[in-house]
Amino acid sequence: MLKLNTTYIKSFVSDDEMANIWPRMEQAYDQIMHGTGKGSELLGWRDWPETYDKKEFARIKRAAQKIRSSSGVLITIGIGGSYLGARAVVELLGDYNATEALFVGKDLSETAYRRAMRKMGDRDWSINIISKSGTTLEPSLAFDVFREKLIERYGRAGAKQRIYATTDAETGILHDVAKREGYAMFTIPDDIGGRYSVLTAVGLLPLAAAGVDIDGLMSGAREAKKHCAPEAMTYAAIRNILYKKGFSVESLAYFEPSFGQMSKWWQQLLGESEGKNQRGILPDSMIFTTDLHSLGQFIQGGPRGQLFETFLHIGQMLNEKITLPGSADLGLDYLAGKNLASINQIAYQATIAAHGKDGVPAMSINIPKLGSREIGYFIYFMEMSAALSAYVMGVNPFDQPDVEAYKKEMQNLLQPGTGK
């Protein structure tokens, strides 16, 4: 289903180095599978593809059907892990004929709010608010604003039928409000952190509303749980070997613009899992061939020893191909009859070869085609890889203690004395 290509990494990572780190990789895997490592109370994602609540899954599908039949737009409100995964998969797999997913509450930008309102236009719409506690400022403000708009449009009673709250099962401000008002409610599991939550109701409700095959996602994740460990351990091992050699920046390079939001999810997953105690690899991303005409110069000709690349290669994107005319007057006659997708594949092959042969450590994650099962597999593979890599670095993969720092400073400025 998913394969790791390490052809251009071999001159940087020797067989002996892999053999030396492998016992530590096995130990990290054992920590995950037996729950003996730091943060083990947040290992719910590990077995989730098999143990997820089947009754809630059916409720999610029914709610999504209701949203699709009553709303042209679903305003999904969340920040970080509460929206990144869903937005990523919508960009890749969403049905353009289904309800449009608009994401707000991830920032404090008036411009973003206004743009979302303009995009909604006169279409019917609903809200999916996602927050474990209901106290995070950005989504709370967005919910306050858009709920009021919803009430203005449909009245208080009508608005209640169009609000879906994904939150804690028992406690929290959002839980209490949703319970009191009678909103449809879905659960954020206590043992799954935000950045590992895309395959829970956090991601599945907006995805199903946007026409994504969530059965396929879960099927792919189940397959990954059974089979992805060797590739995930290899990927994590290579990252850690390079990190110890001073390679502190990993750039995820992809050749399909629709993968852009998935790269943001990948950045959060790895950055928030590893970046603690002054340790961690900075996850960056680049879209090729676009960035080859800007950052490509730096990669090819800039300093060595800090950046390595992980290419994301999708074998088959779409069944419908755009055939090239190959106009002779443009000097393109040699491409006549070829399709654009095949040219993009050649661009990938040429780029990884050029960078790898010129001293840039480069590996690739190969996904056979773009489909719900394949993306479900990729999501689980990356979650496993992030946890493995963080354990080998000696940090807790599942907490984010330093994220709270800006929140406390901000709260103290808004309400002096409360953010201490």
Side-chain angles (χ1 to χ4, degrees), residues 177-409:
V177 169
K179 202 78 171 174
R180 183 186 71 236
E181 297 293 334
Y183 304 153
M185 295 177 66
F186 299 91
T187 302
I188 300 176
D190 288 334
D191 57 356
I192 301 180
R195 58 190 175 275
Y196 291 82
S197 68
V198 62
L199 296 177
T200 72
V202 170
L204 294 180
L205 178 58
L207 289 175
V212 174
D213 174 13
I214 61 174
D215 289 293
L217 285 177
M218 299 305 290
S219 175
R222 281 194 298 276
E223 188 173 349
K225 183 180 182 298
K226 295 176 183 177
H227 302 298
C228 81
E231 300 284 345
M233 292 168 73
T234 300
Y235 175 51
I238 290 171
R239 295 179 78 251
N240 274 268
I241 291 170
L242 291 172
Y243 176 58
K244 289 180 180 179
K245 293 182 175 183
F247 291 93
S248 59
V249 179
E250 178 180 15
S251 181
L252 186 71
Y254 54 98
F255 285 75
E256 290 293 342
S258 60
F259 199 83
Q261 290 300 321
M262 185 62 80
S263 74
K264 297 297 184 184
W265 172 79
W266 172 86
Q267 284 180 275
Q268 188 205 10
L269 178 67
L270 287 168
E272 206 171 40
S273 295
E274 292 180 344
K276 297 149 200 172
N277 305 329
Q278 287 72 57
R279 302 175 193 175
I281 297 168
L282 175 64
D284 190 16
S285 63
M286 286 181 267
I287 176 171
F288 293 157
T289 60
T290 303
D291 290 338
L292 288 175
H293 294 256
S294 54
L295 296 175
Q297 171 61 42
F298 183 88
I299 296 168
Q300 199 84 44
R304 296 290 184 263
Q306 184 179 18
L307 179 145
F308 67 97
E309 287 181 289
T310 298
F311 285 78
L312 195 288
H313 175 240
I314 301 175
Q316 180 181 339
M317 286 293 294
L318 301 170
N319 291 324
E320 296 180 6
K321 305 297 183 184
I322 296 177
T323 302
L324 301 173
S327 301
D329 62 337
L330 296 176
L332 298 174
D333 48 311
Y334 67 102
L335 296 177
K338 296 184 181 294
N339 62 70
L340 197 57
S342 67
I343 305 300
N344 206 24
Q345 296 284 358
I346 291 171
Y348 152 73
Q349 295 167 9
T351 305
I352 191 172
H355 292 182
K357 291 177 181 178
D358 204 22
V360 180
M363 56 184 159
S364 67
I365 296 169
N366 298 323
I367 299 173
K369 67 176 183 178
L370 183 64
S372 58
R373 288 180 64 250
E374 289 76 15
I375 295 304
Y377 193 107
F378 173 78
I379 287 169
Y380 190 91
F381 164 82
M382 275 300 174
E383 291 174 347
M384 178 62 73
S385 298
L388 286 166
S389 189
Y391 272 145
V392 173
M393 286 184 188
V395 299
N396 182 346
F398 309 117
D399 66 354
Q400 52 280 337
D402 303 310
V403 170
E404 298 302 316
Y406 94 89
K407 296 181 182 179
K408 292 177 181 178
E409 292 287 350

Side-chain angles (χ1 to χ4, degrees), residues 26-226:
E26 291 176 330
Q27 182 185 8
Y29 184 69
D30 185 74
Q31 287 177 294
I32 293 169
M33 300 311 294
H34 294 94
T36 57
K38 295 178 180 178
S40 59
E41 69 278 6
L42 290 171
L43 274 171
W45 60 272
R46 180 195 62 199
D47 300 322
W48 187 256
E50 296 171 340
T51 62
Y52 67 95
D53 186 333
K54 310 304 186 296
K55 290 182 179 179
E56 180 170 71
F57 192 80
R59 285 182 57 234
I60 288 170
K61 291 167 100 173
R62 289 195 297 271
Q65 179 58 45
K66 179 183 175 183
I67 292 168
R68 289 198 301 271
S69 65
S70 66
S71 302
V73 176
L74 177 64
I75 295 290
T76 297
I77 300 172
I79 192 169
S82 295
Y83 96 96
L84 274 170
R87 186 173 182 183
V89 181
V90 166
E91 290 289 324
L92 281 171
L93 302 173
D95 182 352
Y96 291 105
N97 295 315
T99 298
E100 182 178 5
L102 295 181
F103 296 87
V104 298
K106 60 190 185 298
D107 49 49
L108 298 169
S109 167
E110 282 191 357
T111 301
Y113 278 44
R114 294 290 183 193
R115 283 179 177 169
M117 292 173 187
R118 284 197 296 269
K119 286 194 75 174
M120 288 159 53
D122 294 327
R123 291 179 289 176
D124 287 310
W125 58 289
S126 297
I127 291 174
N128 176 208
I129 168 67
I130 307 166
S131 178
K132 180 72 169 173
S133 65
T135 60
T136 303
L137 185 62
E138 292 92 338
S140 294
L141 287 177
F143 185 48
D144 195 26
V145 170
F146 281 89
R147 181 177 64 169
E148 193 64 26
K149 294 287 184 184
L150 199 68
I151 292 171
E152 290 174 7
R153 174 77 179 267
Y154 298 103
R156 187 168 294 275
K160 288 180 181 182
Q161 302 303 312
R162 292 176 172 273
I163 296 176
Y164 302 81
T166 305
T167 187
D168 190 271
E170 298 179 357
T171 63
I173 289 177
L174 180 57
H175 168 275
D176 294 346
V177 169
K179 202 78 171 174
R180 183 186 71 236
E181 297 293 334
Y183 304 153
M185 295 177 66
F186 299 91
T187 302
I188 300 176
D190 288 334
D191 57 356
I192 301 180
R195 58 190 175 275
Y196 291 82
S197 68
V198 62
L199 296 177
T200 72
V202 170
L204 294 180
L205 178 58
L207 289 175
V212 174
D213 174 13
I214 61 174
D215 289 293
L217 285 177
M218 299 305 290
S219 175
R222 281 194 298 276
E223 188 173 349
K225 183 180 182 298
K226 295 176 183 177

